[in-house]
Amino acid sequence: MDIIAMAREIGKLIQSDKRYEAYQKAREVNDKDEELQKLINDFSMKRIELNTEMSKTDKDGEKLKELDASIKSIYNEIMAKPNMIAFNSAKNEMDGMLAEINNIITASANGEDPETCPAHPGCSGSCSSCGGCH
C-alpha cells in the first residue's frame, strides 16, 4: 500500500472515531439551532457595520464604541449557548486528536521512531514529570 492510500485509511479511521462523530453531531445541532444562527448572523452584520465605520475618513467614535460593545455582547451570548459550548468542547477534542496525529507524523518525518515518538507537543515521553495528557 502506498503512502497516499495509507493516508486515506487514516482518514477513514478518523471518521470512525467517537471524537469525530461528536464533532459532526455538535456541528449539525448548531446548524439547526435557529436562535444560535440568528445570533451568529447578527454578530456578522455588526462586524460588517464596524468595518464599514472604521474605513470611513470621518469615523464616528461614539458609533464605533457602540458597535464594539454590541459585538462583544453578542459574542458572549453566542459562546454561552449550550449548543455552542458543546460544539467548542467537541471541536477541542477533535483538534487534539488531529494535533496528536500531526505530531507523530512530523516527528517520524524528522527521523524519530514512529512507535515511541511523543504524540503531544513538548512531551518528553516520560510520564513521571507530566501534568497529564489531554
Side-chain angles (χ1 to χ4, degrees):
M1 182 180 299
D2 75 354
I3 198 159
I4 299 302
M6 292 176 101
R8 293 185 192 287
E9 289 302 313
I10 291 171
K12 290 175 190 174
L13 289 171
I14 289 169
Q15 290 180 345
S16 69
D17 190 274
K18 65 181 175 151
R19 291 165 286 194
Y20 173 84
E21 291 172 13
Y23 173 68
Q24 291 302 318
K25 182 179 178 190
R27 190 168 72 170
E28 185 178 317
V29 168
N30 269 2
D31 288 347
K32 291 180 179 177
D33 184 333
E34 291 178 18
E35 183 182 346
L36 180 60
Q37 291 306 312
K38 181 188 177 316
L39 285 169
I40 291 170
N41 186 55
D42 291 348
F43 177 82
S44 295
M45 297 307 290
K46 290 292 182 186
R47 283 185 50 194
I48 290 169
E49 268 187 78
L50 179 65
N51 289 336
T52 300
E53 188 62 36
M54 288 180 68
S55 67
K56 292 180 179 177
T57 53
D58 58 339
K59 296 172 185 66
D60 181 342
E62 200 55 41
K63 186 172 184 178
L64 287 172
K65 285 181 188 176
E66 288 173 17
L67 287 168
D68 184 57
S70 180
I71 288 169
K72 287 177 182 172
S73 174
I74 295 169
Y75 177 82
N76 290 334
E77 193 174 347
I78 289 168
M79 299 312 283
K81 293 288 181 194
N83 287 341
M84 184 56 79
I85 292 169
F87 171 79
N88 283 329
S89 177
K91 183 179 183 319
N92 288 339
E93 289 290 319
M94 184 70 182
D95 289 347
M97 176 180 62
L98 294 175
E100 288 180 27
I101 293 166
N102 187 51
N103 289 332
I104 292 169
I105 291 170
T106 301
S108 299
N110 287 328
E112 293 188 42
D113 181 352
E115 293 293 326
T116 60
C117 64
H120 303 285
C123 180
S124 67
S126 169
C127 295
S128 64
S129 63
C130 183
C133 297
H134 344 199

